[in-house]
Structures are given as C-alpha cells and as structure tokens.
Amino acid sequence: MKTVVMAVDESLEKTSGHIDAALRVPFAESLADYAADTASTIGLGDRDYVRNGSPSKPAWKDDEGVHMAVPRYTLLRVARALSEDSTAYVTLRGATTHHAAEVLTAVPRRATGVDLTVPPMLNSHVFGAFDAFATAVRRDLGKERAAEWDRKVFEEATARQSVPPPYAKDPVGHLVASWQQTLREGGLENSADVLEQQNAVMVDIWGKATGLGDKVRDSLHDDALNDTSAARGNALRNLS
C-alpha cells in the first residue's frame, strides 16, 4: 500500500491533483483497511510513523503486523484527491469513525489526566483533517456541485440504520451506531455542521456511556470542538 500511495501522490503532479474517477472508490476501500495507520499519519503524528515514513524506507513491521508509513503531506494530498468522490470520502471517514471509537473505548475506566484527555484529542486531529478534505472539495466543486456532494455524503453515511447496541455489550458498535443516528437526525441541511462536530458528539456519547461527570464531559466536548477546528485549519493550510 505504501508503494501505491507514493505512486498516486507522484501522479497528482501530472493530473492537477485528480485521481481517475474509476479508481477512487476501490482505492479508498483498500486504504480504509489502514485506518489506524492513516490516523497516526495525518493526526498529531507518531514518532515511529515519522521515522518510517520516508519514501526510501521499506514496509514497516512490528509485533502488531505491517504498517503503512508515508509522509503526512503525501497522505493528505492523496486522501483529499480521493474525497472528490462522495463514496470514497464516506468509505474513508467511516473507517476513521470506527477507529476513533476503538481509541475511545480503549481508555480505562476511571482514567484521569492525560490518560483521559489525549485519546479524544488524537481523534480530533484526524477528524479535523477529514473536515478539511470536505471543505477543499466543496470549494473546488462550486456551490451547486458541492450541494450535490453533500447530499450524497449524507445519504451514504446514514444509509445503514441500526439501533445502537448496549455499550456494555458492544462499546465500539454503540459509539458508531449512535453517531450515525445523530447525523441522520440532524438532517441533510445541517449535515456539514454536524460532521464538523463529530468528535465532540462521539465524546459526549462515550462520556455518558462510561459515567463521566457533567463537568468532565463538558470540558472534553469543548476541547474536541476546539482541537478539531484547529486541525482543520492546519490541514487546509497544508493542502493549499
């Protein structure tokens, strides 16, 4: 996958930043299998991913398996190009949502301090990048085509309607299904705004499910909104 991502990024110089329409969805489906690697690359950054991200570095393997490590700017450009297709964008964001749920549900009960605050912050930086992709796509498509892109994203992201399972039984499934329910209930007209609040919404759902106090939940909610907004701005600057 690293070789493919690097090759696609190189080709973007010749195609004015576009990926062939027929390749976007299958490529996104393959890239979605690397959601943890994507999060570590386009988020706050991980020392191991930075060290192994050089194009000259071979595939990086550790006890957890093979990882895709590429330069952050490379993955930002490739993911942005894929996002022109609404299905590809929903595929990648859906994989990111599932990974973000795994990050939150891995936080130990009764965690405090950085053990509690860092996982939501890491998710914020990833979702902020995906918000930046959406902003860049809308800007380049123009008003009418952007509205159509938003409609397709909303419809595809909310196509699966399921009752959230109990958190105690399926914590990841509970967060993912509850988020999808929130997006669906917000409606198409509010979908862009709700998407930009995704991490804050997921933090709220997670905090309630795990019994966090109101003050702690409010603080995590505000931090999630602020961190996501800052990450969105950072990614947009890198993509400009």
Side-chain angles (χ1 to χ4, degrees), residues 123-226:
N123 287 345
S124 286
H125 283 263
V126 183
F127 282 124
F130 274 86
D131 292 342
F133 302 152
T135 298
V137 167
R138 294 187 193 104
R139 179 188 59 206
D140 292 348
L141 287 177
K143 187 175 181 179
E144 290 186 5
R145 293 175 62 203
E148 178 66 8
W149 185 87
D150 278 329
R151 182 186 65 79
K152 290 181 178 179
V153 166
F154 175 76
E155 290 178 350
E156 294 174 33
T158 59
R160 291 185 178 181
Q161 298 190 29
S162 59
V163 177
Y167 186 86
K169 181 178 180 180
D170 182 3
V172 171
H174 177 83
L175 293 189
V176 172
S178 296
W179 153 248
Q180 291 172 335
Q181 187 176 68
T182 299
L183 179 60
R184 185 166 54 250
E185 291 173 350
L188 172 59
E189 65 277 9
N190 300 311
S191 60
D193 290 336
V194 176
L195 279 170
E196 292 188 358
Q197 299 171 29
Q198 178 171 359
N199 195 43
V201 171
M202 291 182 68
V203 165
D204 289 342
I205 296 167
W206 167 67
K208 291 176 182 177
T210 55
L212 294 178
D214 291 345
K215 289 185 178 180
V216 174
R217 291 205 312 270
D218 288 345
S219 178
L220 291 174
H221 175 96
D222 291 344
D223 287 345
L225 290 178
N226 293 333

Side-chain angles (χ1 to χ4, degrees), residues 77-92:
R77 288 191 294 263
V78 170
R80 156 64 185 86
L82 287 172
S83 296
E84 290 183 28
D85 187 294
S86 60
T87 301
Y89 181 75
V90 170
T91 297
L92 292 175

Side-chain angles (χ1 to χ4, degrees), residues 60-82:
W60 166 38
K61 300 176 67 174
D62 61 14
D63 293 340
E64 297 180 356
V66 180
H67 300 276
M68 181 195 68
V70 298
R72 181 172 185 263
Y73 295 158
T74 293
L75 192 55
L76 284 173
R77 288 191 294 263
V78 170
R80 156 64 185 86
L82 287 172

